[in-house]
Amino acid sequence: GCYFTYTLNDYGREGLEPGVPPLAERVETFRRLSERLGPERVVWRYDPILVGGGLTPEVVLERIAGVGAALHRHTRRLVISFADVACYPAVRARLGGVGQAELAEPGPAAAERIAAGIRDLNAGWGLEVVACAEVADLSRFGIGRSRCVDGGVMARAFPGDAALAGF
């Protein structure tokens, strides 16, 4: 048995993920994994969430909506996290290196707008939405707290393996 946390973002126009296949190909790979393993064993991760340089909260939500429209029937869980650009000099340098130095972590208002938008999108998807490694409490938006790789998910995916479920 296996379990995948599959990061699938839509930052192609920003050039943030060089070397990854085109979005449509990544979506198709996700779908094939889900068909083979089951939607409970393939978790969609949209991480990091960035704003700036044309990525307004509304644009971010449009992109999440586009990916979610293609994936929500192929997973049971969405894991999000907002970028922590200020904490990581290497991340700031990398963004500058791809000409995206203006991209940053969402401030509180932008993060709340994005969280509310994800809640609204999820009304039609029915996923368990959680944030990993986030300090902010997003529960009022229907977004729970979680580890990035969660023991509860492992326990549900591998009910007969107590050692693995205790990960």
Side-chain angles (χ1 to χ4, degrees):
C2 56
Y3 155 82
F4 284 84
T5 296
Y6 193 120
T7 301
L8 212 160
N9 301 321
D10 184 2
Y11 293 125
R13 286 163 258 183
E14 289 74 27
L16 294 180
E17 299 175 312
V20 300
L23 180 61
E25 189 176 328
R26 291 180 282 140
V27 165
E28 184 56 30
T29 299
F30 190 104
R31 287 179 176 168
R32 285 195 320 263
L33 273 172
S34 175
E35 289 166 4
R36 187 171 197 152
L37 303 174
E40 64 283 344
R41 291 192 180 196
V42 185
V43 173
W44 172 30
R45 182 167 172 172
Y46 202 101
D47 170 45
I49 296 175
L50 295 155
V51 294
L55 283 175
T56 65
E58 290 68 33
V59 170
V60 169
L61 287 167
E62 286 173 16
R63 295 196 188 172
I64 292 171
V67 176
L71 298 184
H72 75 274
R73 291 182 184 92
H74 303 280
T75 189
R76 301 286 183 260
R77 183 174 171 101
L78 166 58
V79 177
I80 64 163
S81 103
F82 297 106
D84 291 319
V85 176
C87 298
Y88 299 101
V91 173
R92 284 194 312 272
R94 183 159 193 276
L95 288 172
V98 295
Q100 298 294 342
E102 70 278 3
L103 293 178
E105 55 202 71
E112 287 187 5
R113 170 65 190 107
I114 292 167
I118 290 171
R119 175 200 56 214
D120 296 346
L121 291 167
N122 194 45
W125 298 340
L127 301 177
E128 175 187 19
V129 181
V130 297
C132 77
E134 286 299 322
V135 174
D137 179 6
L138 302 173
S139 61
R140 69 184 181 279
F141 303 108
I143 299 173
R145 285 195 166 141
S146 179
R147 294 179 180 169
C148 296
V149 177
D150 185 81
V153 173
M154 299 292 277
R156 289 189 300 274
F158 305 102
D161 193 331
L164 183 61
F167 176 79

